[in-house]
Amino acid sequence: MTDLTPHLLARIEAHGPMTVADFMTEALLHPTMGYYTTRDPLGAAGDFTTAPEISQMFGELIGLALAQTWLDQGAPALFSLAELGPGRGTLMADILRATRAVPDFHAAAKVHLIEASPTLRAKQKSAVGEATWHDTIDTLPDDQPLFLVANEFFDALPIRQYQRGPEGWHERLIANRDGALTFALGPELPQPQLAHRLADTTEGQLVETCPTGTAITQTLGARIQSTKGAALLIDYGDWVSLGDTLQALQDHRSVPPLATPGEADITAHVDFEALAKAAACDHSRLTLQGVFLERLGITQRAQALADRLQGEALNSHVAAHRRLTHPSEMGNLFKVLALFPKDAPPPPGCAT
Ligand code: SAH
């Protein structure tokens, strides 16, 4: 049990109500009781599963898309092959396996993994082998092209929430009501960074920002424009988000976000427009995951793998293909945004 509630109540007692962002940071990354710090949350025994854990095809196709992008940019002889929030390391392991046959790709690639959780770093080490780990993207080499992937990373970054009032915005905060964590509203204040949301919201509506996510894509965009490379950002969310998307998952079931901090995965939908606008390089259109994977040839790959399978293994392979691509499963919920240099073609599967 790692219930952070007493710790969070004490913090509110000492400092007053906290932002949703501070709540998420504590719940997910508290050094001894945070959700990601203390466990491997993935897989059937965990709280949720992700595309790379569902099928090797996901990482294989992304690996080949990154390798083609690297070739399209002249196959630079030294580059960073990086992943944000690699979980168990499965995606990077599949990327590396699928690209083994691409001449010179492995010789040129230096693997960099950005991971906050010591527990997951250990898993990544056994899955990926040789790599350099980083706490943030700020320590990635800045003198070589950067080819990067992030799957279900941006949804875990802390968000802030604001409810529109008659004149300004009330920040949604977390307070102590009779010894329980509860949502409250801060005072109405001007929020210049939300000026662009005045046209598409009315009083009472809630909008979200993700300052860490925006800062990361700002850095990535500048890096990709100046040193070359590309980023594939894959997550659930929309071009513009509206309303409360804070959610928590425990044992593969939805739970109230404030109920069990430290024991549930807490995420929010990604506002892709905000990420794209922060990046100084070019970006693709937001592409549905199902469409992206079909364009990369998942059906052909699925058929080739199916030829070697039978019985239960074949059934679960067919189900995995459907789960990744079908519009009623992950195919439409998850989306891909590619960042790439202004003078380069977009990565395969991502149209502009
Ligand atoms: N990409 C993996 C795991 C997704 S879960 C997959 O698709 O299976 C989110 C991952 O991001 C975890 O590895 C988590 O520890 C990491 N993470 C969350 N917040 C982070 C932060 N602020 N900095 C670095 N890593 C973070």
Side-chain angles (χ1 to χ4, degrees):
M1 291 289 273
T2 53
D3 185 4
L4 269 160
T5 307
H7 165 75
L8 295 172
L9 289 170
R11 187 183 149 150
I12 293 169
E13 199 58 40
H15 303 289
M18 70 176 94
T19 63
V20 173
D22 286 344
F23 170 77
M24 284 181 81
T25 303
E26 290 269 27
L28 296 177
L29 296 176
H30 183 282
T32 56
M33 293 183 286
Y35 178 74
Y36 286 118
T37 340
T38 53
R39 76 195 72 209
D40 170 6
L42 292 148
D47 293 306
F48 60 99
T49 193
T50 57
E53 301 298 330
I54 290 170
S55 169
Q56 67 186 70
M57 295 187 290
F58 184 78
E60 290 171 350
L61 293 168
I62 286 177
L64 295 175
L66 288 174
Q68 184 60 51
T69 312
W70 171 77
L71 288 168
D72 289 343
Q73 294 186 22
L78 174 65
F79 71 95
S80 303
L81 178 60
E83 183 175 356
L84 297 173
R88 289 179 169 174
T90 309
L91 173 54
M92 185 54 81
D94 290 339
I95 289 173
L96 290 171
R97 195 185 59 256
T99 52
R100 240 183 345 226
V102 179
D104 302 328
F105 186 81
H106 276 214
K110 292 278 169 285
V111 177
H112 294 273
L113 303 176
I114 297 90
E115 175 57 62
S117 159
T119 311
L120 290 172
R121 278 189 184 201
K123 295 242 168 188
Q124 291 156 18
K125 184 148 189 53
S126 48
V128 174
E130 204 181 316
T132 308
W133 276 264
H134 303 261
D135 291 325
T136 71
I137 59 164
D138 298 329
T139 50
L140 287 174
D142 60 4
D143 56 353
Q144 51 191 256
L146 172 62
F147 290 84
L148 175 142
V149 63
N151 185 63
E152 290 211 45
F153 172 77
F154 284 87
D155 65 67
L157 297 178
I159 58 154
R160 296 178 75 161
Q161 297 185 315
Y162 301 90
Q163 186 176 311
R164 188 163 169 190
E167 305 290 337
W169 300 85
H170 298 272
E171 180 154 16
R172 199 174 186 217
L173 301 171
I174 290 147
N176 173 355
R177 189 196 291 147
D178 305 328
L181 296 170
T182 182
F183 287 111
L185 287 180
E188 188 172 7
L189 295 169
Q191 298 290 352
Q193 82 281 15
L194 297 178
H196 65 294
R197 300 308 303 264
L198 291 175
D200 72 344
T201 56
T202 55
E203 197 180 321
Q205 283 188 316
L206 190 141
V207 302
E208 298 175 337
T209 65
C210 183
T212 319
T214 313
I216 290 173
T217 40
Q218 195 171 3
T219 306
L220 286 180
R223 185 77 53 87
I224 287 167
Q225 190 56 41
S226 69
T227 63
K228 295 220 183 325
L232 291 173
L233 314 182
I234 307 157
D235 231 305
Y236 44 91
D238 280 298
W239 185 242
V240 185
S241 80
L242 180 64
D244 174 20
T245 74
L246 192 70
Q247 60 184 58
L249 269 190
Q250 199 170 348
D251 294 334
H252 297 264
R253 273 194 301 271
S254 174
V255 295
L258 304 187
T260 48
E263 293 170 34
D265 185 37
I266 302 176
T267 61
H269 282 204
V270 173
D271 182 340
F272 283 100
E273 183 189 36
L275 299 186
K277 284 201 162 148
C281 61
D282 207 348
H283 66 83
S284 70
R285 233 182 291 165
L286 193 58
T287 305
L288 301 176
Q289 173 173 297
V291 172
F292 173 72
L293 294 174
E294 286 302 344
R295 286 178 180 156
L296 295 180
I298 193 169
T299 298
Q300 291 86 325
R301 179 68 183 133
Q303 277 159 358
L305 287 170
D307 288 345
R308 288 183 249 148
L309 299 171
Q310 46 189 308
E312 202 34 56
L314 178 60
N315 291 342
S316 84
H317 169 64
V318 170
H321 176 206
R322 184 187 151 89
R323 196 155 170 212
L324 291 179
T325 55
H326 197 276
S328 68
E329 304 224 22
M330 296 170 83
N332 281 11
L333 179 63
F334 281 79
K335 309 198 171 91
V336 186
L337 180 75
L339 307 180
F340 52 98
K342 284 188 196 294
D343 51 0
C350 300
T352 48

